[in-house]
Amino acid sequence: MNSSLRDAMARANMTSSKLARVCGVDPKTVDRWLANPSREPHARHRSAASRALGEEETVLWPSVQQLVKSGPDRELVQMYPYRSAAPASLWRQLIKGATRELTFAGYTNYFLWLEHANFGGLLRQKAAASVRVRFVLGEPGHPVTRQRELEEDVPLSLSTRIEVTLSELAKLRDTSIEARYETGHVSLSVFRFDDDMIVTPLLPGRIGHDAPMMHFRRAQDDGVFDRFAGHVEDLWAKGRDLWTVPAVEVVDHAKT
């Protein structure tokens, strides 16, 4: 019995017939998936089931994990063509499961409050449980930020999104949560949850939810996970504490 698939279907209130319709297969095929944990559906069917059930493919079919890994490094758990293609539950599971460290090195981190109900409350709980919580933000109005804004050319600018995050973080000043400004990650966001990590390389002219997304899990010294973790620590070391140092003044070029 594939208990992971069975449990995910139960949580999603999804019968074999409903899942079969979503995946474009016969209900008997879904029953065979359930009966035999080593039976792996075709890639398109796995993807459809993953989206419908809100779980990663490697959770529903653990053996699939070996299919998406290659070479000596075995740390890649899953890859998505877009950040928005990842199951909605993934971020919440990783955040809630962290017991040591949460690091959010996204340039704005704005989407975290937008997509996760009571995100500030969850961060407060983690900080109270002695989890180290850090944010690395871009600076609103900084020349690097301005250049990226010109490339994105969207109404809700990077600076505005950062300012929203700053207003949310201000509500958490009474906690142990740390935050710094840096601009060295304008095209590469890294989010760490203990030994799990999400990395999104931002493409020119695209915004965050259009970025490819990779989920890594640490499995070795000096592997891909450690390389990205080192990048974040470099950012943190160079960063400016946003609680004590004001951001670069935003200049309204339309008035100059």
Side-chain angles (χ1 to χ4, degrees):
M1 168 68 72
N2 186 334
S3 57
S4 297
L5 177 60
R6 178 200 61 196
D7 294 346
M9 290 173 63
R11 287 192 296 271
N13 194 27
M14 185 80 68
T15 65
S16 293
S17 296
K18 289 181 180 179
L19 186 60
R21 284 197 296 272
V22 169
C23 297
V25 300
D26 189 276
K28 292 182 180 179
T29 298
V30 175
D31 290 338
R32 286 193 287 269
W33 296 347
L34 286 165
N36 186 354
S38 64
R39 190 183 187 96
E40 296 170 1
H42 292 299
R44 66 180 184 278
H45 297 149
R46 293 198 308 268
S47 179
S50 175
R51 290 193 299 272
L53 298 175
E55 292 285 359
E56 286 192 308
E57 292 180 31
T58 52
V59 171
L60 302 175
W61 294 281
S63 60
V64 172
Q65 188 161 334
Q66 299 305 317
L67 299 179
V68 296
K69 295 179 175 182
S70 60
D73 192 286
R74 307 308 245 180
E75 297 184 309
L76 179 63
V77 177
Q78 188 81 0
M79 181 177 288
Y80 302 90
Y82 305 94
R83 191 187 74 200
S84 55
S89 61
L90 174 61
W91 289 84
R92 196 78 176 183
Q93 290 171 352
L94 293 177
I95 295 168
K96 292 184 72 173
T99 60
R100 304 188 312 276
E101 175 180 351
L102 286 170
T103 300
F104 303 96
Y107 205 75
T108 74
N109 293 296
Y110 163 77
F111 76 97
L112 293 166
W113 276 270
L114 184 68
E115 297 178 4
H116 301 285
N118 194 29
F119 182 62
L122 179 56
L123 292 178
R124 185 176 291 276
Q125 291 174 15
K126 287 297 179 180
S130 298
V131 176
R132 188 184 189 191
V133 182
R134 297 184 296 174
F135 283 82
V136 183
L137 295 168
E139 292 195 45
H142 191 282
V144 172
T145 305
R146 293 286 302 169
Q147 180 58 42
R148 182 72 192 190
E149 287 173 339
L150 292 174
E151 294 174 6
E152 287 190 354
D153 191 25
V154 295
L156 192 63
S157 69
L158 279 181
S159 292
T160 300
R161 282 176 268 161
I162 295 169
E163 293 288 358
V164 171
T165 297
L166 292 175
S167 69
E168 295 295 338
L169 287 176
K171 301 173 185 177
L172 301 169
R173 283 290 303 273
D174 61 326
T175 71
S176 61
I177 293 173
E178 306 167 87
R180 296 184 182 183
Y181 289 120
E182 236 300 299
T183 58
H185 60 312
V186 68
S187 296
L188 180 69
S189 295
V190 180
F191 307 90
R192 180 171 181 175
F193 320 86
D194 290 347
D195 289 335
D196 281 88
M197 180 180 287
I198 287 176
V199 176
T200 55
L202 303 182
L203 303 175
R206 304 292 183 91
I207 57 179
H209 66 260
D210 278 340
M213 179 180 133
M214 295 167 285
H215 176 191
F216 294 101
R217 181 168 296 131
R218 191 178 189 279
Q220 65 186 65
D221 292 337
D222 200 31
V224 174
F225 184 101
D226 282 358
R227 298 295 302 281
F228 282 121
H231 164 69
V232 171
E233 294 308 318
D234 288 343
L235 292 172
W236 187 255
K238 293 185 294 185
R240 301 159 64 240
D241 187 347
L242 68 83
W243 300 134
T244 59
V245 180
V248 174
E249 181 181 359
V250 179
V251 178
D252 188 342
H253 293 276
K255 296 181 181 181
T256 59

